[in-house]
Amino acid sequence: MNSSPAPGANLAALRDHNTALVLGLLRDAGPAGASRAELADRTGLTPQAVSKITGRLRVAGLAAEAGRRASTGGKPATALRLMPEAAHAIGVHLDRDALTVTLVDLSGAEVVTRTSPLDLGAGAETVLAAVTAEAARVRAEAGGSLLGAGVALPGPLDHRTGVLHRVTGFPRWDGFPLRDALAERLGLPVVVDKDTNAAALGLVLRGCAGPAGSFAYLHLGTGLGAGLVLGGAVHRGARTGAGEFGHQVLRLDGPLCPCGDRGCIEVLCLDAVARGDVAEAARLLGTGAANLVRLLDIDLVLLGGGTLLKDAATYAAGVRDVLGAAAPVAVTPAGDRTVVEGAAELVLASLFGRDRLSGLPKAGLTHSP
Amino acid sequence: MNSSPAPGANLAALRDHNTALVLGLLRDAGPAGASRAELADRTGLTPQAVSKITGRLRVAGLAAEAGRRASTGGKPATALRLMPEAAHAIGVHLDRDALTVTLVDLSGAEVVTRTSPLDLGAGAETVLAAVTAEAARVRAEAGGSLLGAGVALPGPLDHRTGVLHRVTGFPRWDGFPLRDALAERLGLPVVVDKDTNAAALGLVLRGCAGPAGSFAYLHLGTGLGAGLVLGGAVHRGARTGAGEFGHQVLRLDGPLCPCGDRGCIEVLCLDAVARGDVAEAARLLGTGAANLVRLLDIDLVLLGGGTLLKDAATYAAGVRDVLGAAAPVAVTPAGDRTVVEGAAELVLASLFGRDRLSGLPKAGLTHSP
DNA sequence: GCAGTTTCGCAACAGCGTTGCCAAAGTGGA
DNA sequence: TCCACTTTGGCAACGCTGTTGCGAAACTGC
């Protein structure tokens, strides 16, 4: 999913790539930081190159020295760490009945979060006004260093243009240019993506996939969807349509699904949930997950979503039963913040070289005069 | 799926990237070639950079000028084209009962192909001897400009190490280091991959996916498998396990499959084939394909494999019936050469920047002294 | 015949990571 | 206490990348 118009790379692209890489490693290292030598080792760059890059980052205020490490027989290493407060991002989660807005710093840590009820079907004007108002409240904490806002909501939609399609249950949104409309209101760059994709991205930045690793995030809420991380990056497909896990046919010629097909996993699973048969719902989820693991050779299955989190342990156990040794199963470590946190990461990801396609114009924080 | 040990990029990596990009565009342009201005436009590089790159390619004998284009109001463009005979690659297709070896030039065009019967269960020594003998015959046509050999065979296996696992039906191969064993016999770099992955790669280089495009290649032979192309690159997964399409559960609690699960698409589909019910087999294939298209947002479904090609039109129609407008369906344009052609492309892909992970050490054809 | 357009190369350039060298700051043995 | 050794990391010079500025070449159209 490269931006195909200009796949050629010049020196500036090379510098940005390496800078993002280092910045990403610094973020992963956390408050303890990492030494220049460690960074050089992990990137494959020479120590001198790392020195130059970290020097630029320090001038830009994105990194700072953070004490000494114990010596291993020579000069002790100087730890470098990310300055989390150097920049912030807003995350917006538009759910069917609620609005959550969060402000996070560069490290992805929560600064403040506000949740309010919302009718996603109330019309564009009402929804936009609510988002704008909540964002303004949250924004005060950022102190001007705001990179942009990421918005996560149910699909289908087009994450490249930020235009919504027939959002499930709310067809009136079809064709609405959410990204541009919100960018104008907020005066900020805005990135829009499906809720499951945002969640997956957030989990990537939490380190749930190793470098070039993979996992599937299965989200069971009012519907059933998935976010796929392949080769370290979120797989969205050309039309942001990837992750339509709910309409995988699992029982040929089974019960009719609202989507028109028969035997979709969503209709089977939601039926089981409605009957209160959590074990069967988990078994269905597990069977679908096993299909994913086999098809995509995935390292890990992560579970989340409102319905599932109400009985997370039972679901996890049921899915684990079906998957066996095929892949480990875990519940999302971000809990009910999974989506909104990921929404904020939509903005930050490009800084850390974790996007391979973000709607944001390459944020050039280190462009020296 | 970057080679994670060294994601940092230096000037050499940048040059190789841009060179591969230009080389790839020249290959896609075919004998008609492309002008420097066109290449600059498509890569996003400056015309001057393209001139330097193509200059190196011409010195290396990989490209040459090929006449003038018609003027569009100014100086007419000079076409550049790939010199296909500058290098060759061997493709080896190890099937359960046959061995096919082919020699292709840089453009992927067939120079010579030899097919002979083979028992894949006859033991490593016998099989290796057969491959070595056939490769030697084919090799004579290359005139020394041989980059390496690509080997495609049924999985499971590890394409990064070239070590086989319990190849379906032939468990004796488990743990055999095919890549290294063959590399030693041939005195050439060798790349090993699953047959379906090789087929998918070959179709990518035929232009079946646009840049950053995607498709699924469904292969129905003695088994059922898939090669997945996502974002312009073959998706193999961390353990080369991706594409296990045959064991997608399609009928929950359905008939037992040799793999131990129930209702796998392979067992359903092969049953239908055995009954002579091609229409039902095609419907099953279509349902599985629809699952893929929805899950991965895929642009195109390509069909191939020995069993399918015997009645390609019927299968294509049946699959098309199920998929409807979700995605176009086509039969592999390479016919029964799909796999062996792809095997040869395993070697060539890295030259054209189409690998993102090839076992081959970056072939530095343009390294000037 | 001349202005305009388009292609493309030469030369000088800025900026990238690399190399060679050295200072700083520890450890550990004599 | 001293000294050899290891490890970290910066300075300066360097080679190589794509870029910029400029001009020659080659065609169209008035």
Side-chain angles (χ1 to χ4, degrees):
Chain A
M1 257 178 301
N2 272 312
S3 50
S4 45
N10 55 21
L11 291 173
L14 181 130
R15 183 198 52 204
D16 288 350
H17 171 82
N18 286 339
T19 303
L21 218 57
V22 169
L23 216 42
L25 288 175
L26 283 180
R27 172 171 161 155
D28 293 347
S35 74
R36 292 169 179 80
E38 276 173 44
L39 295 172
D41 198 48
R42 287 203 226 168
T43 55
L45 298 172
T46 59
Q48 203 44 236
V50 172
S51 273
K52 284 192 179 181
I53 292 169
T54 55
R56 289 197 298 264
L57 291 176
R58 286 168 58 196
V59 169
L62 291 175
E65 299 200 337
R68 293 264 167 104
R69 291 284 175 77
S71 166
T72 59
K75 177 177 174 179
T78 316
L80 291 168
R81 66 179 184 86
L82 191 67
M83 299 290 280
E85 62 281 4
H88 295 83
I90 290 179
V92 177
H93 180 193
L94 283 173
D95 211 347
R96 291 178 170 77
D97 53 2
L99 166 65
T100 309
V101 180
T102 194
L103 182 76
V104 304
D105 64 21
L106 261 193
S107 73
E110 173 184 7
V111 176
V112 55
T113 302
R114 297 179 55 89
T115 302
S116 50
L118 176 84
D119 176 11
L120 191 51
E125 202 52 41
T126 311
V127 170
L128 282 181
V131 172
T132 310
E134 292 292 281
R137 293 210 178 85
V138 147
R139 194 171 180 167
E141 308 281 334
S145 62
L146 202 50
L147 293 174
V151 183
L153 74 165
L157 54 84
D158 186 331
H159 74 283
R160 288 170 315 173
T161 61
V163 174
L164 306 188
H165 296 163
R166 311 185 110 262
V167 175
T168 315
F170 304 94
R172 276 173 53 195
W173 284 103
D174 193 19
F176 187 79
L178 181 61
R179 185 187 66 188
D180 295 344
L182 206 54
E184 198 189 350
R185 295 227 185 193
L186 296 177
L188 284 174
V190 170
V191 188
V192 170
D193 206 345
K194 265 203 313 196
D195 46 8
T196 47
N197 287 344
L201 180 68
L203 294 168
V204 169
L205 279 143
R206 273 192 175 236
C208 287
S214 61
F215 65 82
Y217 168 72
L218 304 186
H219 186 98
L220 178 59
T222 53
L224 176 57
L228 302 174
V229 171
L230 305 174
V234 177
H235 174 70
R236 298 179 170 93
R239 289 159 297 280
T240 329
E244 273 305 322
F245 179 65
H247 299 288
Q248 295 288 101
V249 172
L250 204 58
R251 189 191 294 279
L252 204 63
D253 308 321
L256 196 64
C257 174
C259 79
D261 232 321
R262 285 181 171 281
C264 296
I265 185 170
E266 181 176 276
V267 74
L268 300 175
C269 201
L270 292 183
D271 272 7
V273 170
R275 291 195 311 269
D277 189 349
V278 173
E280 172 66 4
R283 185 180 81 103
L284 288 160
L285 216 51
T287 308
N291 274 359
L292 280 187
V293 168
R294 275 193 290 260
L295 184 69
L296 300 171
D297 194 1
I298 274 176
D299 296 327
L300 171 69
V301 173
L302 287 170
L303 305 175
T307 304
L308 189 142
L309 288 174
K310 283 178 200 154
D311 203 352
T314 311
Y315 278 103
V319 172
R320 212 171 275 127
D321 271 352
V322 181
L323 273 174
V329 177
V331 177
T332 167
D336 60 1
R337 277 183 54 79
T338 304
V339 174
V340 74
E341 190 175 294
E345 298 289 5
L346 288 171
V347 176
L348 299 180
S350 65
L351 277 180
F352 303 112
R354 298 291 171 75
D355 54 344
R356 303 196 196 169
L357 185 66
S358 151
L360 218 55
K362 278 232 168 177
L365 278 181
T366 61
H367 283 187
S368 50
Chain B
M1 251 176 306
N2 275 314
S3 49
S4 44
N10 55 19
L11 290 174
L14 181 130
R15 183 198 52 204
D16 287 351
H17 171 83
N18 286 338
T19 303
L21 217 57
V22 169
L23 218 42
L25 288 175
L26 284 179
R27 174 170 161 158
D28 293 347
S35 75
R36 292 171 179 80
E38 276 174 42
L39 294 173
D41 199 48
R42 288 202 224 169
T43 55
L45 299 172
T46 59
Q48 202 45 237
V50 173
S51 272
K52 284 192 179 179
I53 292 168
T54 54
R56 289 197 298 262
L57 291 176
R58 286 167 59 195
V59 169
L62 292 174
E65 299 201 337
R68 293 267 168 104
R69 290 283 174 76
S71 167
T72 60
K75 175 177 173 180
T78 317
L80 291 167
R81 67 179 183 84
L82 192 68
M83 300 290 280
E85 62 281 5
H88 295 82
I90 290 179
V92 176
H93 179 192
L94 283 174
D95 212 345
R96 290 178 170 79
D97 53 2
L99 166 66
T100 310
V101 179
T102 192
L103 182 78
V104 305
D105 64 23
L106 262 193
S107 74
E110 172 185 6
V111 176
V112 56
T113 301
R114 298 177 56 89
T115 301
S116 50
L118 176 84
D119 176 9
L120 190 52
E125 202 52 43
T126 312
V127 171
L128 281 181
V131 172
T132 309
E134 291 293 280
R137 293 207 179 85
V138 149
R139 192 172 181 167
E141 308 281 332
S145 61
L146 202 48
L147 293 174
V151 182
L153 74 163
L157 53 84
D158 185 332
H159 74 285
R160 290 170 312 173
T161 60
V163 173
L164 306 189
H165 296 166
R166 309 186 111 261
V167 174
T168 316
F170 304 94
R172 274 175 54 195
W173 284 103
D174 191 18
F176 188 80
L178 180 61
R179 184 187 67 189
D180 295 344
L182 206 55
E184 198 189 352
R185 295 226 184 191
L186 296 177
L188 283 174
V190 170
V191 187
V192 170
D193 206 345
K194 267 206 309 197
D195 46 8
T196 48
N197 288 343
L201 180 69
L203 294 168
V204 169
L205 279 144
R206 275 195 173 232
C208 287
S214 61
F215 65 81
Y217 168 72
L218 304 185
H219 186 100
L220 178 59
T222 52
L224 175 58
L228 302 175
V229 172
L230 306 175
V234 177
H235 174 71
R236 298 178 169 96
R239 289 159 297 277
T240 329
E244 272 304 325
F245 179 67
H247 300 286
Q248 295 288 100
V249 172
L250 204 59
R251 188 190 294 278
L252 204 63
D253 308 321
L256 195 67
C257 173
C259 79
D261 233 321
R262 286 185 170 279
C264 295
I265 186 170
E266 182 175 278
V267 74
L268 300 175
C269 201
L270 293 182
D271 272 6
V273 170
R275 290 194 312 269
D277 189 349
V278 173
E280 174 65 4
R283 184 180 81 104
L284 289 159
L285 217 51
T287 307
N291 275 358
L292 280 187
V293 168
R294 274 193 291 259
L295 184 70
L296 301 170
D297 194 3
I298 274 175
D299 296 327
L300 170 68
V301 174
L302 287 169
L303 305 174
T307 304
L308 189 142
L309 289 172
K310 282 178 198 153
D311 202 352
T314 310
Y315 278 101
V319 173
R320 211 171 275 126
D321 272 352
V322 181
L323 274 174
V329 177
V331 177
T332 167
D336 60 1
R337 276 183 53 80
T338 304
V339 174
V340 75
E341 191 175 293
E345 299 289 5
L346 288 171
V347 176
L348 300 180
S350 65
L351 278 180
F352 302 112
R354 298 291 173 75
D355 52 345
R356 303 194 198 168
L357 186 66
S358 151
L360 218 57
K362 279 232 167 175
L365 278 180
T366 63
H367 282 188
S368 50

